[in-house]
Amino acid sequence: METKDSDHVINNVDVVPVPSSLTAEPPALQHPVPPQATLGCHLARRLVEIGATDVFSVPGDFNLTLLDYLIAEPSLNLIGCCNELNAGYAADGYARARGVGACVATFTVGGLSIINAIAGAYSENLPVICIVGGPNSNDFGMNRILHHTIGLPDFSQELRCFQTVTCHQAVVNNLENAQEQIDMAISTALKESKPVYISISCNLAGLPHPTFSHDPIPFFISPRVSNKMNLDAAVEACTRFLNNAVKPVMVGGPNLRSTKSKAAFVELADASGYPIAVMPSAKGLVPENHPRFLGTYWGAVSTSFCAEIVESADAYLFAGPIFNDYSSVGYSLLLKKEKAVIVQPDRVIVANGPAFGCVSMKDFLEAFAKRVKCNTTAFDNYKRIYVPSGEPRGCEPGEPLRVNVLFKHIQGLLSDKTAVIAETGDSWFNCQKLRLPEGCGYEFQMQYGSIGWSVGATLGYAQAAKDKRIIACIGDGSFQVTAQDVSTMLRCAQNSIIFLINNGGYTIEVEIHDGPYNVIKNWNYTGLVEAIHNGQGKCWTAKVKTEEDLKSALDKAINVKKDCLCFIEVILHKDDTSKELLEWGSRVSAANSRPPNPQ
């Protein structure tokens, strides 16, 4: 089910008390209970209802019965992944395109494998339903040691690990409150835009209960309601502050997604006349065809002329920012707190004060758009200093391909029918420079920065957005972490284009701090993908070393091989990087190497 800005939380449903005997293993049924009366079917129907119609899983003995019931739901597609980490990354990518994702693993050994991906989803404010098959309900509190654990009779280790990376946890080990626990967990994920953890005892998925005997009441997630007095006061304070500024600007941050405030941000931009920029982690959240779009504000590695306009402004409104060491280029942004209006998901801070709590970002942006005075001064200044960027010099015949030429050709692939997935590394910086056409998707994992994320995320995003062709830019070091699930892409008949950037190691780490550990064993990447293909599914590979090779490969990928998964290995010199990475790496290195403060 497609979700919208104001959609979704739960209507509490009274749980009907039933005899505890229903939680025991049922005898052979004389009169079969309708399949829709079981816990497993209830969970499956809920996942379909919220839009998670594809669930990424790895089977294990604690979740096998549950998987049977997920498969039995006609509207749900169970996708088996090669490992739990990639299943979690796939759910992350799926949530970016569909608004919510789901994954299933087995108890502890699977849960602690998937948890890294769930932590990444938490950092990026993505609602992912992480379901784990748990121990038999009879084993809780019996002082028994189970397999797939660390050898202690305490089954809470997995739960305690997930408590710090999910916004809600539910351990379902009896039927009395199972429906309430499941519904509360799912609705909380939607409301908070964060992952949740649901553990379901392995002997409960197939059991009936009266609370599962009819179609569940649809979720209704009530929208966040601002405190009216605080909202009015925040708008009044901001109106005085920004309407008196000479050359104000606006910058969008990553929390525009989780607060569903993208349209409200654009509405304010239209009303204000301010030039608009995005933080790097918000690329793709603001239309880049907006007439006053400057580009990415990323301090010293910003889009040309963007930082100059933002940092010289006498007032700036940041909507949903996250300032960390990476997004601030080693804490080197030339911003002043006394010039800033910071709009967070439920709080507005004007300069050095005051601060207004219980104010939703969407409500504030919409209300302020009605009070703001149009001021185009900063954008007029931008037009005076702006000089269009030139295209990189083409390669001579037989000359080794350069990274800037590669991305010039990738730019030509983009349309409203494509989406870009950028892996952690130099692809961050090269993909930031791509100009996104209206409707073109864009995703990367800025906050968590887990290398290898993009393989699973490409799988999940492509499964959720079947109207788009995914263009994934993945470094060789990252690919070696999670390469296996190219296999799952083939099983799902996906037609993504993967650019494997082979430059011999962890280039982003080289620019922060070099050492022999940043050099990796070279693989025959096209040969590996051919081996994974093994004649099953549609797959095409190419290895390119020159611009002529690249042009030929792209022509095939977008024409005769448009229905295939296209894997293009691009051979680049190990020192061929974007200039932005060189600058960013030196500043982050300086931040990392600061000496301890005096004691």
Side-chain angles (χ1 to χ4, degrees), residues 458-529:
T458 297
L459 165 64
Y461 196 102
Q463 196 64 24
K466 294 185 178 180
D467 59 331
K468 294 185 183 295
R469 193 172 193 189
I470 312 307
I471 297 170
C473 300
I474 308 175
D476 49 353
S478 296
F479 187 73
Q480 288 193 8
V481 178
T482 51
Q484 306 96 307
D485 271 283
V486 168
S487 172
T488 312
M489 297 178 195
L490 289 169
R491 292 177 67 188
C492 294
Q494 296 179 359
N495 69 336
S496 301
I497 302 175
I498 297 175
F499 290 95
L500 188 285
I501 299 172
N502 185 348
N503 53 12
Y506 300 119
T507 302
I508 190 171
E509 312 291 1
V510 168
E511 302 308 330
I512 296 174
H513 183 99
D514 200 5
Y517 31 75
N518 290 325
V519 179
I520 62 175
K521 171 71 173 65
N522 190 37
W523 291 1
N524 179 358
Y525 294 99
T526 53
L528 172 66
V529 172

Coordinates of all heavy atoms in Angstrom, one line a residue, residues 458-529:
T458 N 20.9 -2.2 -3.8 CA 20.5 -2.2 -5.3 C 19.4 -3.3 -5.5 O 18.4 -3.1 -6.2 CB 21.7 -2.5 -6.1 OG1 22.6 -1.3 -6.0 CG2 21.3 -2.6 -7.6
L459 N 19.6 -4.5 -4.9 CA 18.7 -5.5 -5.0 C 17.3 -5.1 -4.4 O 16.3 -5.3 -5.1 CB 19.2 -6.7 -4.2 CG 18.2 -7.8 -3.8 CD1 17.7 -8.5 -5.1 CD2 18.8 -8.8 -2.8
G460 N 17.3 -4.5 -3.3 CA 16.0 -4.1 -2.7 C 15.3 -2.9 -3.4 O 14.1 -3.0 -3.6
Y461 N 16.1 -1.9 -3.8 CA 15.5 -0.8 -4.5 C 15.0 -1.2 -5.8 O 13.8 -0.8 -6.2 CB 16.6 0.3 -4.7 CG 16.0 1.7 -5.0 CD1 16.0 2.7 -4.0 CD2 15.6 2.0 -6.3 CE1 15.4 3.9 -4.3 CE2 15.1 3.2 -6.6 CZ 15.0 4.2 -5.6 OH 14.5 5.4 -5.9
A462 N 15.7 -2.0 -6.5 CA 15.2 -2.5 -7.9 C 13.9 -3.3 -7.7 O 13.0 -3.2 -8.6 CB 16.3 -3.3 -8.6
Q463 N 13.8 -4.1 -6.6 CA 12.6 -4.9 -6.4 C 11.4 -4.0 -6.1 O 10.3 -4.3 -6.5 CB 12.9 -5.9 -5.3 CG 11.9 -7.0 -5.3 CD 11.9 -7.9 -6.5 OE1 12.9 -8.0 -7.2 NE2 10.8 -8.6 -6.8
A464 N 11.7 -2.9 -5.4 CA 10.6 -2.0 -5.0 C 10.2 -1.0 -6.1 O 9.0 -0.6 -6.2 CB 11.0 -1.2 -3.8
A465 N 11.1 -0.6 -6.9 CA 10.9 0.4 -8.0 C 11.1 -0.2 -9.3 O 12.1 0.0 -10.0 CB 11.8 1.6 -7.8
K466 N 10.2 -1.1 -9.7 CA 10.3 -1.8 -11.0 C 10.1 -1.0 -12.2 O 10.4 -1.4 -13.3 CB 9.4 -3.0 -11.0 CG 9.7 -4.0 -9.9 CD 8.8 -5.3 -10.0 CE 9.3 -6.3 -8.9 NZ 8.4 -7.5 -9.0
D467 N 9.7 0.3 -12.0 CA 9.5 1.2 -13.1 C 10.8 1.9 -13.4 O 10.9 2.7 -14.4 CB 8.4 2.2 -12.9 CG 8.7 3.0 -11.6 OD1 9.4 2.5 -10.7 OD2 8.3 4.2 -11.5
K468 N 11.9 1.7 -12.7 CA 13.2 2.4 -12.9 C 14.3 1.3 -13.1 O 14.2 0.2 -12.6 CB 13.5 3.2 -11.6 CG 12.6 4.4 -11.4 CD 13.1 5.3 -10.3 CE 12.1 6.4 -10.0 NZ 12.0 7.4 -11.1
R469 N 15.3 1.8 -13.9 CA 16.5 0.9 -14.0 C 17.5 1.5 -13.1 O 17.8 2.7 -13.2 CB 16.9 1.0 -15.5 CG 18.0 -0.1 -15.7 CD 18.3 -0.3 -17.2 NE 19.1 -1.5 -17.4 CZ 19.7 -1.8 -18.6 NH1 19.6 -1.0 -19.6 NH2 20.4 -3.0 -18.6
I470 N 18.1 0.7 -12.3 CA 19.0 1.1 -11.3 C 20.4 1.2 -11.9 O 20.9 0.3 -12.6 CB 19.0 0.2 -10.1 CG1 17.6 -0.1 -9.6 CG2 19.9 0.8 -8.9 CD1 16.8 1.1 -9.3
I471 N 21.1 2.3 -11.6 CA 22.5 2.4 -12.0 C 23.3 2.5 -10.7 O 23.3 3.5 -9.9 CB 22.7 3.7 -12.8 CG1 21.9 3.6 -14.1 CG2 24.2 4.0 -13.1 CD1 21.8 4.9 -14.9
A472 N 24.1 1.5 -10.4 CA 24.9 1.3 -9.2 C 26.3 1.5 -9.5 O 26.9 0.9 -10.4 CB 24.6 0.0 -8.6
C473 N 27.0 2.4 -8.7 CA 28.4 2.7 -8.8 C 29.1 2.1 -7.5 O 28.9 2.6 -6.4 CB 28.7 4.2 -8.9 SG 27.9 4.9 -10.4
I474 N 29.8 1.0 -7.7 CA 30.3 0.3 -6.6 C 31.8 0.1 -6.7 O 32.3 -0.4 -7.8 CB 29.7 -1.1 -6.5 CG1 28.1 -1.0 -6.5 CG2 30.1 -1.9 -5.2 CD1 27.4 -2.3 -6.5
G475 N 32.6 0.4 -5.7 CA 34.0 0.2 -5.7 C 34.4 -1.3 -5.5 O 33.6 -2.1 -5.0
D476 N 35.6 -1.7 -6.0 CA 36.0 -3.1 -5.9 C 36.1 -3.6 -4.4 O 35.7 -4.7 -4.1 CB 37.3 -3.3 -6.6 CG 38.4 -2.3 -6.3 OD1 38.1 -1.4 -5.5 OD2 39.5 -2.5 -6.7
G477 N 36.6 -2.7 -3.5 CA 36.7 -3.2 -2.1 C 35.3 -3.4 -1.5 O 35.1 -4.4 -0.8
S478 N 34.4 -2.5 -1.8 CA 33.0 -2.7 -1.2 C 32.4 -3.9 -1.8 O 31.7 -4.7 -1.1 CB 32.2 -1.5 -1.5 OG 32.7 -0.3 -0.9
F479 N 32.6 -4.2 -3.1 CA 31.9 -5.3 -3.8 C 32.4 -6.6 -3.2 O 31.6 -7.6 -3.1 CB 32.2 -5.2 -5.3 CG 31.5 -6.3 -6.1 CD1 30.1 -6.1 -6.3 CD2 32.1 -7.4 -6.6 CE1 29.4 -7.1 -7.1 CE2 31.5 -8.3 -7.4 CZ 30.1 -8.2 -7.6
Q480 N 33.6 -6.7 -2.8 CA 34.1 -7.9 -2.2 C 33.5 -8.3 -0.9 O 33.5 -9.5 -0.5 CB 35.7 -7.8 -2.0 CG 36.4 -7.8 -3.3 CD 37.9 -8.1 -3.1 OE1 38.4 -8.3 -2.0 NE2 38.7 -8.0 -4.2
V481 N 32.8 -7.3 -0.2 CA 32.2 -7.6 1.0 C 30.8 -8.3 0.8 O 30.5 -9.2 1.6 CB 32.0 -6.3 1.8 CG1 31.2 -6.6 3.1 CG2 33.3 -5.6 2.1
T482 N 30.1 -8.0 -0.2 CA 28.7 -8.4 -0.4 C 28.4 -8.9 -1.8 O 27.2 -8.9 -2.1 CB 27.8 -7.3 0.0 OG1 28.1 -6.1 -0.7 CG2 27.8 -6.9 1.5
A483 N 29.3 -9.4 -2.5 CA 29.1 -9.7 -3.9 C 28.1 -10.8 -4.2 O 27.5 -10.8 -5.3 CB 30.4 -10.1 -4.6
Q484 N 27.9 -11.7 -3.2 CA 27.1 -12.9 -3.5 C 25.7 -12.6 -4.0 O 25.1 -13.3 -4.8 CB 26.9 -13.7 -2.2 CG 28.2 -14.1 -1.5 CD 28.6 -13.1 -0.4 OE1 28.6 -11.9 -0.6 NE2 28.8 -13.7 0.8
D485 N 25.1 -11.5 -3.5 CA 23.7 -11.3 -3.9 C 23.4 -10.7 -5.3 O 22.3 -10.4 -5.6 CB 22.9 -10.5 -2.8 CG 22.4 -11.4 -1.8 OD1 21.3 -12.1 -2.0 OD2 23.0 -11.6 -0.7
V486 N 24.5 -10.6 -6.1 CA 24.2 -10.5 -7.5 C 23.4 -11.7 -8.0 O 22.6 -11.6 -8.9 CB 25.6 -10.4 -8.3 CG1 25.4 -10.6 -9.8 CG2 26.3 -9.1 -8.0
S487 N 23.7 -12.8 -7.3 CA 22.9 -14.1 -7.6 C 21.4 -13.8 -7.4 O 20.6 -14.2 -8.2 CB 23.4 -15.2 -6.7 OG 22.5 -16.3 -6.8
T488 N 21.0 -13.1 -6.3 CA 19.6 -12.9 -6.1 C 19.0 -11.9 -7.1 O 17.9 -12.0 -7.5 CB 19.4 -12.4 -4.6 OG1 20.2 -13.2 -3.7 CG2 18.0 -12.4 -4.2
M489 N 19.8 -10.9 -7.5 CA 19.3 -10.0 -8.6 C 19.0 -10.8 -9.8 O 18.0 -10.5 -10.5 CB 20.4 -9.0 -8.9 CG 20.8 -8.1 -7.8 SD 22.2 -7.0 -8.3 CE 22.7 -6.4 -6.8
L490 N 19.8 -11.8 -10.2 CA 19.5 -12.7 -11.3 C 18.2 -13.5 -11.1 O 17.4 -13.6 -12.0 CB 20.7 -13.6 -11.6 CG 21.9 -12.8 -12.2 CD1 23.1 -13.8 -12.2 CD2 21.6 -12.3 -13.6
R491 N 18.1 -14.0 -9.9 CA 16.9 -14.8 -9.6 C 15.6 -14.0 -9.7 O 14.5 -14.5 -10.1 CB 17.0 -15.4 -8.2 CG 18.0 -16.5 -8.1 CD 18.1 -17.0 -6.7 NE 16.9 -17.7 -6.3 CZ 16.7 -18.2 -5.0 NH1 17.6 -17.9 -4.1 NH2 15.6 -18.8 -4.7
C492 N 15.7 -12.7 -9.4 CA 14.6 -11.8 -9.5 C 14.4 -11.1 -10.8 O 13.6 -10.2 -11.0 CB 14.7 -10.7 -8.4 SG 14.7 -11.3 -6.7
A493 N 15.3 -11.5 -11.8 CA 15.2 -11.0 -13.2 C 15.3 -9.5 -13.2 O 14.6 -8.8 -14.0 CB 13.9 -11.4 -13.8
Q494 N 16.2 -8.9 -12.4 CA 16.4 -7.5 -12.4 C 17.4 -7.1 -13.6 O 18.2 -7.9 -14.0 CB 17.0 -7.0 -11.1 CG 16.0 -7.3 -9.9 CD 16.6 -6.8 -8.6 OE1 17.7 -6.4 -8.5 NE2 15.8 -7.0 -7.5
N495 N 17.3 -5.8 -14.0 CA 18.0 -5.4 -15.2 C 18.9 -4.2 -14.8 O 19.1 -3.3 -15.6 CB 17.1 -5.0 -16.3 CG 16.3 -3.8 -16.1 OD1 16.0 -3.4 -14.9 ND2 15.9 -3.1 -17.2
S496 N 19.4 -4.1 -13.6 CA 20.2 -3.0 -13.1 C 21.5 -3.0 -13.9 O 22.0 -4.0 -14.5 CB 20.6 -3.1 -11.6 OG 19.4 -3.1 -10.9
I497 N 22.1 -1.8 -14.0 CA 23.5 -1.6 -14.5 C 24.4 -1.4 -13.4 O 24.3 -0.4 -12.7 CB 23.5 -0.5 -15.5 CG1 22.5 -0.7 -16.7 CG2 24.9 -0.3 -16.1 CD1 22.5 0.5 -17.6
I498 N 25.4 -2.3 -13.2 CA 26.3 -2.1 -12.1 C 27.7 -1.8 -12.7 O 28.2 -2.5 -13.5 CB 26.5 -3.5 -11.3 CG1 25.2 -3.8 -10.6 CG2 27.6 -3.3 -10.3 CD1 25.2 -5.1 -9.9
F499 N 28.2 -0.6 -12.3 CA 29.6 -0.2 -12.6 C 30.5 -0.6 -11.5 O 30.4 0.0 -10.4 CB 29.6 1.3 -12.9 CG 28.9 1.7 -14.2 CD1 27.6 2.2 -14.1 CD2 29.5 1.7 -15.4 CE1 26.9 2.6 -15.2 CE2 28.9 2.1 -16.5 CZ 27.6 2.5 -16.5
L500 N 31.3 -1.6 -11.7 CA 32.3 -2.1 -10.8 C 33.6 -1.3 -11.0 O 34.2 -1.5 -12.0 CB 32.5 -3.6 -10.9 CG 33.4 -4.3 -9.8 CD1 34.9 -4.0 -10.0 CD2 33.0 -3.9 -8.4
I501 N 33.9 -0.4 -10.1 CA 35.0 0.5 -10.3 C 36.3 -0.1 -9.7 O 36.4 -0.2 -8.5 CB 34.7 1.9 -9.7 CG1 33.5 2.5 -10.4 CG2 35.9 2.8 -9.8 CD1 33.0 3.8 -9.8
N502 N 37.1 -0.7 -10.6 CA 38.3 -1.4 -10.1 C 39.5 -0.5 -10.1 O 40.1 -0.3 -11.2 CB 38.5 -2.6 -11.1 CG 39.6 -3.5 -10.6 OD1 40.4 -3.2 -9.7 ND2 39.7 -4.7 -11.2
N503 N 39.8 0.0 -9.0 CA 41.1 0.8 -8.9 C 42.0 0.2 -7.8 O 42.9 0.9 -7.3 CB 40.7 2.2 -8.6 CG 39.8 2.4 -7.4 OD1 39.6 1.4 -6.6 ND2 39.3 3.6 -7.2
G504 N 41.8 -1.1 -7.5 CA 42.8 -1.8 -6.7 C 42.8 -1.6 -5.2 O 43.8 -1.9 -4.5
G505 N 41.7 -1.1 -4.6 CA 41.7 -1.0 -3.2 C 40.7 0.0 -2.6 O 39.8 0.4 -3.3
Y506 N 40.9 0.3 -1.3 CA 40.0 1.2 -0.6 C 40.4 2.6 -0.8 O 41.1 3.2 0.0 CB 39.9 0.8 0.9 CG 39.5 -0.6 1.2 CD1 40.3 -1.5 1.8 CD2 38.2 -1.0 0.8 CE1 39.9 -2.8 2.1 CE2 37.8 -2.3 1.1 CZ 38.6 -3.2 1.7 OH 38.2 -4.5 2.0
T507 N 40.0 3.2 -1.9 CA 40.5 4.5 -2.3 C 40.2 5.6 -1.3 O 41.0 6.5 -1.0 CB 40.0 4.9 -3.7 OG1 40.4 3.9 -4.6 CG2 40.6 6.2 -4.2
I508 N 39.0 5.5 -0.8 CA 38.6 6.6 0.2 C 39.4 6.5 1.5 O 39.8 7.5 2.0 CB 37.1 6.4 0.5 CG1 36.6 7.7 1.3 CG2 36.7 5.1 1.3 CD1 35.1 7.7 1.5
E509 N 39.8 5.3 1.9 CA 40.6 5.1 3.0 C 42.1 5.6 2.7 O 42.7 6.2 3.6 CB 40.7 3.6 3.5 CG 39.3 3.0 3.6 CD 38.5 3.5 4.7 OE1 38.9 4.4 5.4 OE2 37.4 3.0 4.9
V510 N 42.5 5.4 1.5 CA 43.8 5.9 1.1 C 44.0 7.4 1.3 O 45.0 7.9 1.8 CB 44.1 5.5 -0.4 CG1 45.4 6.2 -0.9 CG2 44.3 4.0 -0.5
E511 N 42.9 8.1 0.9 CA 43.0 9.5 1.0 C 42.8 10.0 2.5 O 43.1 11.2 2.8 CB 41.9 10.2 0.1 CG 42.0 9.8 -1.3 CD 43.4 10.0 -1.9 OE1 44.1 10.9 -1.4 OE2 43.8 9.2 -2.8
I512 N 42.3 9.2 3.4 CA 42.2 9.6 4.8 C 43.5 9.2 5.5 O 44.1 10.0 6.2 CB 41.0 8.9 5.5 CG1 39.7 9.4 4.8 CG2 41.0 9.1 7.0 CD1 38.5 8.7 5.3
H513 N 44.0 7.9 5.3 CA 45.2 7.5 5.9 C 45.7 6.2 5.1 O 45.0 5.2 5.2 CB 44.9 7.1 7.4 CG 46.2 6.6 8.1 ND1 46.9 7.5 8.9 CD2 46.8 5.5 8.1 CE1 47.9 6.9 9.4 NE2 47.9 5.6 9.0
D514 N 46.8 6.4 4.4 CA 47.2 5.3 3.5 C 48.0 4.2 4.3 O 48.6 4.5 5.3 CB 48.0 5.8 2.4 CG 48.1 4.9 1.2 OD1 47.4 3.8 1.3 OD2 48.8 5.2 0.2
G515 N 48.0 3.0 3.8 CA 48.8 1.9 4.3 C 48.6 0.7 3.5 O 47.7 0.6 2.6
P516 N 49.4 -0.3 3.7 CA 49.3 -1.6 2.9 C 47.9 -2.3 3.0 O 47.5 -3.1 2.2 CB 50.4 -2.4 3.4 CG 50.7 -1.9 4.8 CD 50.4 -0.4 4.7
Y517 N 47.2 -2.0 4.1 CA 45.9 -2.6 4.4 C 44.8 -2.1 3.4 O 43.8 -2.7 3.3 CB 45.5 -2.4 5.8 CG 46.0 -1.1 6.4 CD1 45.4 0.1 6.0 CD2 47.0 -1.0 7.3 CE1 45.9 1.3 6.5 CE2 47.5 0.2 7.7 CZ 46.9 1.4 7.4 OH 47.4 2.5 7.8
N518 N 45.1 -1.0 2.7 CA 44.2 -0.5 1.8 C 44.3 -1.1 0.4 O 43.5 -0.8 -0.5 CB 44.3 1.0 1.6 CG 43.9 1.8 2.9 OD1 42.9 1.3 3.5 ND2 44.6 2.8 3.2
V519 N 45.2 -2.0 0.2 CA 45.4 -2.7 -1.1 C 44.7 -4.1 -1.0 O 45.0 -4.8 0.0 CB 46.9 -2.8 -1.5 CG1 47.0 -3.6 -2.8 CG2 47.6 -1.5 -1.5
I520 N 43.9 -4.4 -1.9 CA 43.2 -5.7 -1.9 C 43.6 -6.6 -3.0 O 44.2 -6.1 -4.0 CB 41.6 -5.4 -2.0 CG1 41.2 -4.8 -3.3 CG2 41.2 -4.6 -0.8 CD1 39.7 -4.6 -3.5
K521 N 43.3 -7.9 -2.8 CA 43.6 -8.9 -3.9 C 42.6 -8.6 -5.1 O 41.4 -8.4 -4.9 CB 43.3 -10.3 -3.3 CG 43.3 -11.4 -4.4 CD 44.7 -11.6 -4.9 CE 44.7 -12.9 -5.8 NZ 44.0 -12.7 -7.0
N522 N 43.2 -8.5 -6.3 CA 42.3 -8.2 -7.4 C 41.6 -9.5 -7.8 O 42.1 -10.6 -7.8 CB 43.2 -7.7 -8.6 CG 42.4 -7.2 -9.7 OD1 41.3 -6.6 -9.5 ND2 42.8 -7.5 -11.0
W523 N 40.3 -9.3 -8.2 CA 39.5 -10.4 -8.6 C 39.3 -10.3 -10.1 O 39.3 -9.2 -10.7 CB 38.2 -10.5 -7.9 CG 38.2 -10.8 -6.5 CD1 39.3 -11.1 -5.7 CD2 37.1 -10.9 -5.6 NE1 38.9 -11.4 -4.4 CE2 37.5 -11.3 -4.3 CE3 35.7 -10.7 -5.8 CZ2 36.7 -11.5 -3.2 CZ3 34.8 -10.9 -4.7 CH2 35.3 -11.3 -3.4
N524 N 38.9 -11.4 -10.7 CA 38.4 -11.4 -12.1 C 36.8 -11.1 -11.9 O 36.1 -12.1 -11.8 CB 38.6 -12.7 -12.8 CG 38.1 -12.7 -14.2 OD1 37.4 -11.7 -14.6 ND2 38.3 -13.8 -14.9
Y525 N 36.5 -9.9 -11.8 CA 35.1 -9.5 -11.4 C 34.1 -10.0 -12.4 O 33.0 -10.5 -12.1 CB 35.0 -8.1 -11.1 CG 35.8 -7.6 -9.9 CD1 37.0 -7.0 -10.0 CD2 35.3 -7.8 -8.6 CE1 37.8 -6.7 -8.9 CE2 36.0 -7.5 -7.5 CZ 37.3 -6.9 -7.7 OH 38.0 -6.5 -6.6
T526 N 34.4 -9.8 -13.7 CA 33.4 -10.2 -14.7 C 33.3 -11.8 -14.7 O 32.3 -12.4 -14.9 CB 33.8 -9.7 -16.1 OG1 35.2 -10.1 -16.4 CG2 33.6 -8.2 -16.2
G527 N 34.5 -12.4 -14.5 CA 34.5 -13.9 -14.4 C 33.7 -14.4 -13.2 O 33.0 -15.4 -13.3
L528 N 33.8 -13.7 -12.1 CA 33.0 -14.0 -10.9 C 31.5 -13.9 -11.2 O 30.7 -14.9 -10.9 CB 33.4 -13.1 -9.7 CG 32.5 -13.3 -8.5 CD1 32.7 -14.7 -7.9 CD2 32.8 -12.2 -7.5
V529 N 31.1 -12.8 -11.8 CA 29.7 -12.7 -12.1 C 29.2 -13.7 -13.1 O 28.1 -14.2 -13.0 CB 29.4 -11.2 -12.6 CG1 27.9 -11.1 -13.0 CG2 29.7 -10.2 -11.4

